[in-house]
Amino acid sequence: VSFDSQGAGELASKTFNKNSGAVELPEVEKVGYTFAGWYNGEVKVEALDGADYEENITLVAKWELVTYTVAYELDGGSLEGETKEYTVETETFQLVAPTKEGYKFLGWYAGEELVTEVAKGTTGNLTFTAKWEEIIIDYTVSFDTQGAGEVESKTFNKYSGAIELPQVEKAGYKFLGWYLNGERVESIPA
């Protein structure tokens, strides 16, 4: 009897005859597959006894693909169109970038390793963690003094704290305050 492992390595043939008794079937492994058994044509062979055969035979290994999962740890982000499962035969695929309001996506990480794709031939369940960098937006406040001199613009962001509004003087006028769109502004919070 010859054995065709279908890619799991070379196996030595075994010789038997009707008086040999049971022939031990080899155990085989193939990365990314589950062994489904030895087959003679479409018939699964569970045991091989020389008394059952009168000619040479070739048993062929049948394999079932193992399906692996891909998990994404988003840390508050959202993701659409991601690959959630794959097999050893899945073509190389790129990891889809997630979004998170107020943050820039820095990449997918497996531990400390930046990962951009999963290559064909990869095996095992995978977990990727999104890394983010907060986008800090700076704002500038300009002051129109209506002829009371120059006042320097102020820049702030959400971490700056409240902006102190400057006081101005104009000869012959009483300063009534700062206005934005007709509304008095007492302070500018962070």
Side-chain angles (χ1 to χ4, degrees):
V1 62
S2 299
F3 300 96
D4 179 353
S5 71
Q6 297 288 296
E10 294 271 333
L11 297 172
S13 297
K14 294 188 178 191
T15 303
F16 68 98
N17 60 46
K18 66 181 180 175
N19 298 322
S20 298
V23 175
E24 186 176 327
L25 298 175
E27 294 183 17
V28 290
E29 293 182 357
K30 186 175 173 181
V31 175
Y33 299 85
T34 300
F35 180 62
W38 291 107
Y39 283 78
N40 183 10
E42 294 300 313
V43 177
K44 185 173 184 177
V45 177
E46 300 284 346
L48 191 60
D49 189 321
D52 296 336
Y53 296 92
E54 294 182 7
E55 58 188 37
N56 294 334
I57 61 168
T58 298
L59 297 181
V60 178
K62 289 214 177 172
W63 301 96
E64 295 173 354
L65 281 168
V66 175
T67 299
Y68 301 103
T69 60
V70 182
Y72 301 89
E73 294 178 355
L74 296 166
D75 187 26
S78 60
L79 184 62
E80 292 182 17
E82 72 275 20
T83 300
K84 295 179 181 177
E85 294 182 334
Y86 75 101
T87 70
V88 71
E89 292 183 5
T90 300
E91 293 297 325
T92 298
F93 61 92
Q94 301 296 312
L95 298 178
V96 177
T99 58
K100 183 177 180 181
E101 189 170 336
Y103 290 82
K104 175 184 175 186
F105 176 63
L106 299 178
W108 288 112
Y109 284 79
E112 295 300 315
E113 181 183 351
L114 174 65
V115 181
T116 59
E117 67 182 20
V118 176
K120 183 176 182 177
T122 299
T123 59
N125 295 327
L126 303 172
T127 300
F128 299 113
T129 302
K131 288 208 177 176
W132 304 97
E133 177 179 84
E134 185 175 15
I135 298 170
I136 299 174
I137 301 171
D138 288 329
Y139 300 94
T140 301
V141 178
S142 300
F143 301 94
D144 180 356
T145 64
Q146 300 290 306
E150 291 292 320
V151 174
E152 190 175 318
S153 297
K154 297 189 181 232
T155 302
F156 72 101
N157 60 49
K158 72 181 191 176
Y159 297 109
S160 301
I163 291 183
E164 186 177 318
L165 298 177
Q167 297 294 316
V168 293
E169 293 181 7
K170 183 176 176 181
Y173 292 88
K174 178 181 177 186
F175 181 63
L176 299 176
W178 296 104
Y179 288 79
L180 177 65
N181 299 325
E183 298 284 326
R184 185 177 169 113
V185 177
E186 299 291 331
S187 67
I188 299 176

